């Protein structure tokens, strides 16, 4: 059986829990039968750290919050590497990834760490816009991964079929006996 080819989309400007999960997931991917490719939508700390973890990283920068011109380049990347799954982590990558999935016929998996109305330091108006954009494209997502059961319940309450929701506590599930050893290189922040 060949590795699953996953295209991870990250915005890359902010550095927090989701970005740490992406870096750690990409670093460990080979152990779990995943052949990762990463697209960063902005240069910065996340892109720099990912370059230290994988050579399979592409910088396709967005010029603004609603710059959809990156979609054709991401679709080409997905086709070039015969991507099996597109994985997203934020409202921006959800929008871009879901539209790319629609164009490529590939499933999209979206990580949910918090509802968008509670997730950022932005004022209420941008939070409402984020929630609207996410809700309007949510139907294009094949699977939602939440970091806790409460978020899973909130998604189901918002109309997402429970069969599309999976909880992986803290966003990283490591099969028994395959966890990194204590002497493995730790993730630097």
């Amino acid at each position: 059986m060949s590795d699953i080819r996953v295209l991870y989309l990250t915005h890359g400007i902010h550095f927090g829990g989701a970005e740490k999960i992406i870096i750690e997931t990409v670093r460990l991917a080979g152990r779990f039968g995943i052949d990762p490719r990463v697209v960063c939508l902005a240069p910065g700390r996340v892109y720099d750290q990912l370059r230290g973890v994988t050579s399979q990283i592409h910088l396709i920068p967005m010029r603004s919050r609603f710059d959809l011109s990156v979609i054709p380049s991401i679709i080409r990347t997905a086709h070039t590497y015969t991507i099996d799954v597109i994985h997203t982590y934020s409202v921006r990558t959800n929008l871009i990834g879901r539209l790319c999935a629609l164009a490529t016929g590939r499933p999209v998996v979206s990580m949910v760490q918090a509802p968008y109305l509670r997730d950022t330091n932005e004022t209420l108006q941008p939070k409402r816009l984020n929630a609207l954009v996410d809700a309007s494209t949510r139907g294009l997502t094949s699977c939602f991964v939440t970091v806790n059961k409460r978020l899973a319940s909130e998604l189901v309450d918002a109309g997402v079929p429970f069969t599309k929701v999976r909880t992986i506590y803290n966003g990283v599930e490591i099969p028994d006996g395959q966890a990194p050893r204590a002497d493995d290189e730790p993730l630097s922040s």
Side-chain angles (χ1 to χ4, degrees), residues 3-187:
D3 288 351
I4 296 173
R5 293 173 302 273
V6 179
L7 180 63
Y8 295 93
L9 295 182
T10 180
H11 184 235
I13 286 184
H14 307 290
F15 193 88
E19 293 74 21
K20 287 181 181 182
I21 289 170
I22 293 169
I23 293 166
E24 193 66 3
T25 299
V26 169
R27 185 177 78 79
L28 297 172
R31 294 183 187 188
F32 306 110
I34 297 171
D35 180 8
R37 300 290 189 269
V38 182
V39 169
C40 278
L41 300 175
R45 184 174 171 191
V46 176
Y47 176 73
D48 293 340
Q49 286 203 10
L50 281 163
R51 286 180 55 205
V53 173
T54 181
S55 61
Q56 301 302 324
I57 185 164
H58 308 274
L59 180 60
I60 304 175
M62 294 179 75
R63 293 185 301 261
S64 68
R65 170 178 264 177
F66 297 108
D67 178 15
L68 301 180
S69 70
V70 298
I71 291 174
S73 294
I74 297 169
I75 290 170
R76 278 191 298 280
T77 300
H79 285 304
T80 298
Y81 295 106
T82 55
I83 294 301
D84 297 310
V85 176
I86 298 172
H87 203 296
T88 64
Y89 289 83
S90 66
V91 70
R92 192 174 305 201
T93 62
N94 287 347
L95 174 63
I96 299 296
R98 291 168 182 172
L99 293 175
C100 290
L102 183 64
T104 63
R106 298 294 178 239
V108 65
V109 174
S110 293
M111 170 72 77
V112 181
Q113 290 191 291
Y116 294 113
L117 290 175
R118 295 195 309 257
D119 189 34
T120 67
N121 293 326
E122 296 183 75
T123 61
L124 187 57
Q125 189 171 358
K127 288 180 184 184
R128 285 183 179 155
L129 180 59
N130 286 348
L132 177 65
V133 167
D134 188 69
S136 66
T137 61
R138 196 174 282 155
L140 299 172
T141 299
S142 303
C143 179
F144 294 86
V145 176
T146 64
V147 296
N148 61 53
K149 291 287 187 190
R150 178 177 165 211
L151 285 171
S153 293
E154 289 182 27
L155 281 176
V156 171
D157 290 346
V160 174
F162 73 93
T163 56
K164 287 188 166 191
V165 180
R166 173 138 188 239
T167 297
I168 300 177
Y169 293 99
N170 298 319
V172 178
E173 183 172 68
I174 300 176
D176 290 340
Q178 295 187 28
R181 297 181 320 273
D183 60 345
D184 280 355
E185 183 178 325
L187 176 65

